[in-house]
Amino acid sequence: MKLLVLGAGNVGKAIAWDLRDEFDVYVADLSDDRLKAVSDFATPIKLDASRFDNLVETLRGFDIAVDALPGRFGFSAIKATIKAGTDMVDVSFMPENPLELREEAENAQVTVIFDAGFAPGLSHILMGRIWNELDNMGEGYIYVGGLPKEPRPPLYYRITWSPKDLIEEYTRPARVIRDGKVVTIDPLSEIRTVEFEGFTFEAFPSDGLRSLLESVRVDKLEEWTLRWPGHLEKMKVLKELGFFRPEHLDKTLEVITPLMTYESPDFSILKVIGVELGRTLSYTLIDEESDFTSMARVTGYTASAITRLVAEGSCIFGVIPPEILGMRIDIFKRILDDLEERGIKPRREENASPGDS
C-alpha cells in the first residue's frame, strides 16, 4: 500500500520512519534538506503544497496520506485529498473547521481523521474514552505541554514544531465550555500556576478542544497548555505591543526563534481529566525524547497508529474527529497498544484529584 506523508519536518519524519516497514512510504516537502533527511527510509518527492492542483494530482497516486504540514495548509490538504479520492490522517491543527467537509468526504467515500496528533489527538482520544466510561461527566480538563528539560532564558522554551503555529496558540481565541455554554477568551488573559507530577508550570487556556465542543456535552470543559514559568508573561507583552500581528510576525520570528532554538532534550506531558459527582477518571502521560524529539514521538506515533486503522478499513467514510476513536473500546485499545509498544504509556487513575481547575 502506497503512503504519502506531506511534510518532512520533525513530525513527518517520525511518521514516515514508524510506518516504513508496513507501507511503501513517500514523503513530500519543498525543502531539499528535509527530504534528504528522510531518504534513507522513504522516497522523497519535492512538492509545493500551496499549489492545489499539483497536490491533488500527487495524492491521486496514493492509497492513504498523512498531513504533517503547518496548519495554514491543513484545510486545503483535506479538500485536495477528497478530490483525489485518497484517505487522509491529519495532524496540521488548521484554524478552519474540517467538519464542514464531512458531506463531501462521505460522498467521495473518503476517510479523513483530523486532529490526529498529540493535542489535539491523543488528548481527544483519552477524553472520548473517559466520556464513555463516566455515567454523567460534568467537567473535563486537558493539561498539555511539550517542554525542554533544560529551559534557557529569556523565553524558557524550545521550538520543536512550526514557529508560526506556536504563535498561533497565543493569538487564536480559545473556546471553552463554562456553565454549559461555549465561550471565547483571549488565551493570554488567564495565566495560572499549576502543579503536576512534581513540576510547577504556567498554564494558559488554548483553543485545542475544537470538535470536543460539539461531541462532549458538559457544564465545563477546558484545555490548558503548559509552559515553564517566565515564558507566558513575555509572550503576553509581545502580543500587546503588536509583534504578533500578521504584518510584523515574520520579523518577530526572525528575532525570537533563535532564542528558542538550542540543544536540550524535550519531554511531553498530558493529563486528561473527567469529573462526575463522586468520581474522577484521568489519564496521565509523561514522555521523554529518545529516537526522536518527544513532541515528534507523541504526535507522530499517534498519527501512525491511526493511519494503520484507516488503512485496514476500520474507520467509516467521512471527516472523523479523534474522540470518536476513543469512544470505541476496540479502537481505543488498538491505539494504546501501538503507543505502548513505542514506550508511550498513559497511566489510568480513578478518583484522582482533578487538579487546579
Side-chain angles (χ1 to χ4, degrees), residues 143-345:
Y143 294 90
V144 61
L147 299 162
K149 281 189 170 183
E150 302 163 1
R152 294 184 186 177
L155 297 180
Y156 304 99
Y157 187 76
R158 177 191 171 211
I159 290 179
T160 57
W161 55 311
S162 166
K164 286 190 175 181
D165 284 355
L166 170 68
I167 302 304
E168 179 90 0
E169 287 199 318
Y170 305 135
T171 59
R172 186 188 299 183
R175 293 164 294 168
V176 300
I177 297 177
R178 293 178 177 174
D179 297 322
K181 298 179 181 179
V182 177
V183 297
T184 301
I185 55 179
D186 180 339
L188 295 181
S189 66
E190 298 186 14
I191 299 172
R192 64 170 57 165
T193 299
V194 297
E195 293 187 3
F196 288 132
E197 305 295 313
F199 298 104
T200 299
F201 301 108
E202 291 179 341
F204 68 99
S206 44
D207 192 44
L209 295 178
R210 297 161 69 82
S211 55
L212 284 172
L213 296 168
E214 300 179 24
S215 57
V216 175
R217 295 180 177 85
V218 291
D219 293 328
K220 190 174 185 181
L221 188 66
E222 300 176 345
E223 181 192 79
W224 292 79
T225 293
L226 307 174
R227 297 286 185 257
W228 289 121
H231 175 79
L232 291 177
E233 287 297 338
K234 294 182 175 68
M235 294 295 103
K236 184 176 181 179
V237 170
L238 289 173
K239 180 180 177 182
E240 290 174 346
L241 292 175
F243 285 93
F244 294 161
R245 292 175 186 163
E247 64 269 27
H248 302 313
L249 184 55
D250 286 343
K251 181 59 69 174
T252 299
L253 288 175
E254 285 183 19
V255 176
I256 68 173
T257 297
L259 300 176
M260 297 184 287
T261 305
Y262 52 85
E263 291 300 320
S264 169
D266 74 319
F267 73 103
S268 304
I269 184 168
L270 175 65
K271 193 172 188 72
V272 182
I273 306 165
V275 182
E276 68 177 7
L277 187 62
R279 185 183 179 196
T280 299
L281 179 59
S282 68
Y283 284 88
T284 303
L285 170 68
I286 295 182
D287 180 79
E288 299 185 359
E289 180 172 328
S290 57
D291 41 3
F292 295 96
T293 67
S294 175
M295 184 54 63
R297 282 169 42 82
V298 294
T299 304
Y301 292 170
T302 301
S304 60
I306 295 171
T307 299
R308 294 182 183 97
L309 295 168
V310 173
E312 68 182 30
S314 295
C315 302
I316 62 174
F317 296 135
V319 178
I320 313 298
E323 59 269 21
I324 301 300
L325 306 180
M327 294 177 186
R328 286 184 51 182
I329 186 62
D330 57 332
I331 295 297
F332 177 76
K333 287 181 176 178
R334 288 276 307 278
I335 292 171
L336 255 61
D337 286 347
D338 256 20
L339 293 175
E340 288 183 3
E341 286 180 11
R342 289 150 182 81
I344 299 170
K345 302 178 180 180

Side-chain angles (χ1 to χ4, degrees), residues 19-34:
L19 295 173
R20 69 198 186 283
D21 294 330
E22 302 160 69
F23 297 85
D24 185 9
V25 178
Y26 292 71
V27 179
D29 201 289
L30 196 55
S31 165
D32 291 329
D33 289 341
R34 287 194 293 267

Side-chain angles (χ1 to χ4, degrees), residues 123-136:
S123 57
H124 285 49
I125 293 168
L126 296 173
M127 186 63 80
R129 177 87 315 255
I130 292 171
W131 165 256
N132 231 28
E133 288 194 37
L134 294 178
D135 295 325
N136 188 26

